């Protein structure tokens, strides 16, 4: 299958690959998976006192589209407030990366990872 | 007329625990009955019907012989099909999956065949454990959520074992 240039760029030069301490009270961790293709995605955010995401990291085991979707998600989340980050939609990710229909679920996985990370952070802070 | 159940095609009762040798033997028997050679002189409609039956038998056999596919099929029979594409949030299990994938990457980098063998045994044990739990709960009322969680785990483990096989082939070359 032909990947778009943007997918290849993120796949070859993934942004923000890494790991944060999940026990850190300022870190939110989203862990999601897609059983049909076996993809596993971890997305983490570090939030400052103003409620702004100052850093984001990810690690994804999966296809190029899944890696690109999560890489792009971390780029877009940095500098955003939690509420802003939660408005990132899979359709926007899919559009930016020009994902073909069979790979749309990779962007859905990234959106679900964002939501899971924000929820984890809010739970830690007693905001939910 | 509705499609016959995959199990019924082989005179089996729907169950997760299956004798795979028996299944294979019955599959070969049934497929022989509809082999194109037997219908070489038959009217076209019959030939077509035999081909359709062979395709149906093959589809049923492929579904039943794979543990995760059989498990998905049983749940579909019982309470409706599960969505193909879905996001699973099963944090502890997914965390372990991620650790195992990291380990597998290291084994690949070190071309550690012995390590791969150990990894494979552990994976097989994990599959066996999830299968045992699934077998015990899939047909119990009130256990649907647990059965769905377990079948998703089986899918991840199955995918991982495919990757282990591919790694072994690469290391063998």
């Amino acid at each position: 299958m032909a990947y778009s240039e943007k997918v290849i760029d993120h796949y070859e030069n993934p942004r923000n690959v890494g790991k944060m301490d999940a026990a850190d009270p300022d870190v939110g961790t989203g862990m999601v998976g897609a059983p049909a293709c076996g993809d596993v995605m971890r997305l983490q955010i570090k939030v400052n006192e103003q409620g702004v995401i100052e850093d984001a990291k990810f690690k994804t085991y999966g296809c190029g589209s899944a890696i690109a979707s999560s890489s792009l998600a971390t780029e877009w989340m940095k500098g955003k407030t939690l509420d802003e980050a939660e408005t990132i939609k899979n359709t926007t990710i899919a559009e930016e990366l020009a994902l073909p229909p069979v790979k749309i679920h990779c962007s859905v996985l990234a959106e679900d990872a964002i939501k899971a990370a924000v929820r984890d952070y809010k739970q830690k802070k007693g905001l939910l | 007329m509705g499609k016959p159940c995959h199990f019924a095609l082989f005179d089996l009762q729907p169950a997760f625990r299956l004798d795979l040798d028996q299944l294979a033997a019955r599959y070969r028997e049934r497929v022989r009955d509809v082999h194109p050679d037997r219908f070489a002189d038959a009217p076209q409609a019959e030939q077509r019907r035999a081909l359709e039956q062979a395709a149906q038998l093959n589809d049923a056999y492929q579904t039943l012989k794979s543990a995760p596919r059989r498990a998905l099929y049983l749940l579909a029979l019982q309470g409706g099909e599960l969505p193909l594409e879905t996001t699973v949030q099963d944090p502890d299990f997914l965390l372990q999956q991620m650790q195992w994938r990291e380990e597998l990457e290291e084994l690949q980098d070190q071309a550690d065949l012995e390590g791969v063998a150990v990894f494979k045994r552990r994976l097989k044990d994990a599959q066996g454990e999830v299968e045992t739990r699934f077998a015990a709960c899939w047909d119990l009322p009130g256990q649907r959520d647990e059965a769905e969680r377990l079948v998703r785990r089986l899918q991840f483990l199955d995918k991982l074992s495919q990757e282990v096989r591919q790694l072994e082939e690469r290391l063998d070359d």
Side-chain angles (χ1 to χ4, degrees):
Chain A
M1 190 183 58
Y3 282 124
S4 73
E5 268 175 43
K6 280 180 178 158
V7 170
I8 292 169
D9 178 37
H10 276 278
Y11 180 72
E12 288 180 347
N13 312 291
R15 329 299 197 251
N16 311 309
V17 173
K19 189 178 181 178
M20 295 176 185
D21 177 10
D24 184 334
D26 297 328
V27 169
T29 301
M31 196 82 179
V32 294
C37 41
D39 292 357
V40 187
M41 189 179 284
R42 181 185 62 218
L43 200 150
Q44 295 181 298
I45 49 172
K46 192 172 174 74
V47 185
N48 68 19
E49 280 168 12
Q50 287 75 45
V52 173
I53 298 168
E54 55 182 30
D55 199 9
K57 297 270 182 223
F58 85 97
K59 179 77 193 178
T60 294
Y61 284 93
C63 66
S65 302
I67 291 168
S69 294
S70 36
S71 171
L72 182 65
T74 55
E75 272 199 323
W76 281 357
M77 290 177 90
K78 278 201 213 179
K80 285 197 165 65
T81 64
L82 291 173
D83 291 343
E84 286 166 352
E86 273 189 305
T87 64
I88 296 174
K89 288 271 164 291
N90 87 282
T91 44
T92 329
I93 295 172
E95 210 174 299
E96 170 73 14
L97 295 172
L99 295 182
V102 294
K103 291 292 178 182
I104 295 299
H105 70 278
C106 298
S107 63
V108 174
L109 199 61
E111 182 189 321
D112 291 337
I114 293 172
K115 292 202 162 71
V118 171
R119 195 172 53 240
D120 181 57
Y121 174 82
K122 286 185 172 172
Q123 260 166 3
K124 273 186 182 173
K125 295 288 179 189
L127 300 171
L128 283 180
Chain B
M1 200 177 74
K3 252 172 63 177
C5 146
H6 287 349
F7 290 96
L9 285 175
F10 305 110
D11 285 327
L12 294 166
Q13 290 298 318
F16 182 66
R17 290 290 181 210
L18 268 195
D19 180 342
L20 292 180
D21 292 334
Q22 186 186 45
L23 174 69
R26 289 193 181 171
Y27 168 68
R28 283 193 299 270
E29 228 172 79
R30 303 286 190 280
V31 147
R32 205 162 42 226
D33 291 342
V34 294
H35 194 278
D37 288 354
R38 291 185 168 231
F39 295 85
D41 302 322
Q44 268 201 346
E46 264 182 58
Q47 286 187 9
R48 201 167 48 237
R49 205 176 124 65
L51 270 180
E52 280 166 11
Q53 282 177 322
Q56 200 178 41
L57 285 168
N58 183 48
D59 181 40
Y61 178 58
Q62 298 303 330
T63 302
L64 296 189
K65 76 172 185 176
S66 142
R69 292 184 63 185
R70 183 166 71 248
L72 280 169
Y73 184 70
L74 283 168
L75 291 186
L77 280 182
Q78 220 189 20
E81 255 176 70
L82 272 69
L84 184 66
E85 281 165 4
T86 183
T87 300
V88 165
Q89 311 218 10
D90 187 353
D92 293 338
F93 176 77
L94 290 176
L95 185 66
Q96 187 202 49
Q97 286 301 293
M98 193 152 258
Q99 282 163 353
W100 284 9
R101 277 153 200 270
E102 280 164 11
E103 274 180 49
L104 200 60
E105 265 185 350
E106 279 170 28
L107 293 170
Q108 169 169 330
D109 292 344
Q110 294 156 6
D112 181 354
L113 269 170
E114 217 167 286
V116 173
V118 174
F119 187 95
K120 238 171 97 171
R121 275 199 295 279
R122 194 179 51 186
L123 178 56
K124 210 163 176 220
D125 287 348
Q127 283 173 309
E129 195 194 311
V130 179
E131 284 175 16
T132 302
R133 286 172 64 190
F134 182 84
C137 80
W138 72 271
D139 56 349
L140 296 180
Q143 293 282 312
R144 173 84 181 186
D145 287 350
E146 173 71 358
E148 287 190 8
R149 184 161 43 244
L150 292 170
V151 78
R152 296 310 191 185
R153 289 184 181 185
L154 282 179
Q155 285 183 284
F156 281 108
L157 294 171
D158 189 49
K159 190 75 213 272
L160 188 56
S161 67
Q162 285 171 26
E163 278 172 31
V164 173
R165 270 199 298 279
Q166 286 165 2
L167 174 60
E168 279 181 316
E169 282 168 19
R170 279 199 302 275
L171 293 180
D172 266 347
D173 285 342

